[in-house]
């Protein structure tokens, strides 16, 4: 039963992650596909650049919460069956949600990069070190006005913040958490590979560079 619950939890995480809110909000409000405009990315930043604050906020709320919801469902399943969860499962369910967001089964496996999803996941699982991760994002964004480099550097810092917090609190599960968060961070950085190329070339657009081009 434990193995079955693990498989079901991970599958639920992937399916919920596949509900890409940038695509959903865009189709419901604009009758269009966000993946045809701007950076072609189905994420909050592209929504803000193309459609403005309202659709972007709706996307932000959906993306931040859906990974956390996946984990809460996992918690509920194990609670109902009175079974103990392995520590790593919460993070693997979260990672499955990020995979679903980036490669959504409902939208031809073309989605977003998972930054907001990761934020919601680690905010639920490790709220204190996540403050440090988010602070890094804000500082880099304020200095560069470039979302991608802010996301990349803050993701890279997330395992370090979690290791530091675990060390200071003597958490016996520190290394498990750090490894799981590092896996998520590396995946998100990989999803930014085209941004990294543009950053190296000095061609990466700033926060509000794109305009809708139809």
């Amino acid at each position: 039963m434990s193995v079955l619950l693990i498989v079901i939890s991970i599958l639920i995480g992937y399916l919920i992650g596949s509900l890409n809110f940038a695509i959903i909000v865009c189709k419901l409000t604009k009758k269009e596909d966000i993946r045809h405009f701007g950076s072609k990315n189905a994420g909050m930043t592209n929504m803000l650049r193309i459609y403005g604050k309202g659709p972007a906020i709706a996307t932000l709320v959906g993306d931040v919460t859906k990974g956390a919801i996946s984990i809460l469902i996992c918690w509920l399943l194990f609670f109902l069956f009175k079974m103990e969860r392995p520590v790593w499962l919460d993070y693997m369910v979260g990672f499955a949600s990020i995979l679903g967001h980036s490669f959504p089964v409902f939208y031809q496996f073309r989605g977003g990069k998972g930054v907001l999803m990761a934020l919601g996941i680690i905010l639920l699982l490790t709220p204190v070190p996540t403050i440090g991760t988010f602070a890094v994002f804000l500082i880099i964004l304020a200095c560069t006005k470039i979302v991608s480099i802010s996301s990349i550097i803050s993701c890279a810092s997330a395992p370090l913040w979690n290791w530091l917090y675990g060390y200071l609190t003597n958490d016996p599960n520190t290394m498990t958490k750090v490894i799981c968060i590092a896996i998520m961070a590396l995946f998100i950085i990989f999803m930014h590979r085209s941004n990294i190329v543009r950053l190296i070339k000095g061609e990466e657009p700033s926060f509000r560079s794109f305009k809708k081009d139809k």
Side-chain angles (χ1 to χ4, degrees):
M1 177 61 75
S2 177
V3 173
L4 180 60
L5 284 181
I6 288 172
V7 172
I8 290 173
S9 297
I10 292 173
L11 179 59
I12 289 173
Y14 173 78
L15 293 175
I16 291 178
S18 290
L19 298 171
N20 188 291
F21 278 85
I23 298 173
I24 293 170
V25 170
C26 185
K27 288 189 174 181
L28 287 177
T29 61
K30 307 296 180 180
K31 311 300 181 185
E32 296 175 332
D33 190 334
I34 185 61
R35 295 171 297 179
H36 295 163
F37 307 108
S39 67
K40 310 295 192 296
N41 183 58
M44 187 274 291
T45 302
N46 200 32
M47 288 288 282
L48 179 61
R49 286 165 171 162
I50 304 303
Y51 295 114
K53 293 180 181 178
I57 291 172
T59 301
L60 183 150
V61 172
D63 284 351
V64 167
T65 57
K66 65 182 180 180
I69 288 171
S70 300
I71 295 169
L72 290 173
I73 291 174
C74 172
W75 291 358
L76 178 61
L77 286 174
F78 276 79
F79 172 77
L80 291 176
F81 285 94
K82 297 180 172 59
M83 301 188 72
E84 187 175 349
R85 303 183 323 276
V87 173
W88 55 264
L89 180 59
D90 295 344
Y91 296 89
M92 289 302 99
V93 171
F95 183 56
S97 297
I98 294 173
L99 282 176
H101 176 80
S102 299
F103 304 106
V105 66
F106 306 124
Y107 304 106
Q108 302 82 46
F109 300 98
R110 291 176 51 228
K113 296 175 181 175
V115 176
L116 289 176
M117 283 207 65
L119 174 63
I121 290 164
I122 63 174
L123 191 60
L124 173 67
L125 298 177
T126 56
V128 174
T130 299
I131 296 172
T133 303
F134 189 56
V136 170
F137 175 86
L138 293 177
I139 291 169
I140 301 300
L141 183 63
C143 294
T144 66
K145 302 297 189 294
I146 298 175
V147 175
S148 60
I149 188 64
S150 307
S151 300
I152 291 167
I153 294 176
S154 61
C155 280
S157 76
L160 299 176
W161 286 111
N162 280 272
W163 174 83
L164 178 61
Y165 181 73
Y167 175 78
L168 293 175
T169 58
N170 294 312
D171 183 354
N173 297 310
T174 294
M175 290 313 299
T176 298
K177 294 177 181 180
V178 168
I179 290 170
C180 290
I181 290 172
I183 290 171
M184 288 191 284
L186 287 171
F187 175 79
I188 293 171
I189 292 170
F190 171 77
M191 293 301 296
H192 282 81
R193 58 196 182 279
S194 60
N195 303 86
I196 293 172
V197 171
R198 289 194 296 270
L199 285 165
I200 292 171
K201 293 180 178 179
E203 298 173 353
E204 181 72 348
S206 60
F207 191 57
R208 294 183 177 273
S209 295
F210 290 127
K211 292 183 180 180
K212 189 173 178 182
D213 181 16
K214 297 186 67 176

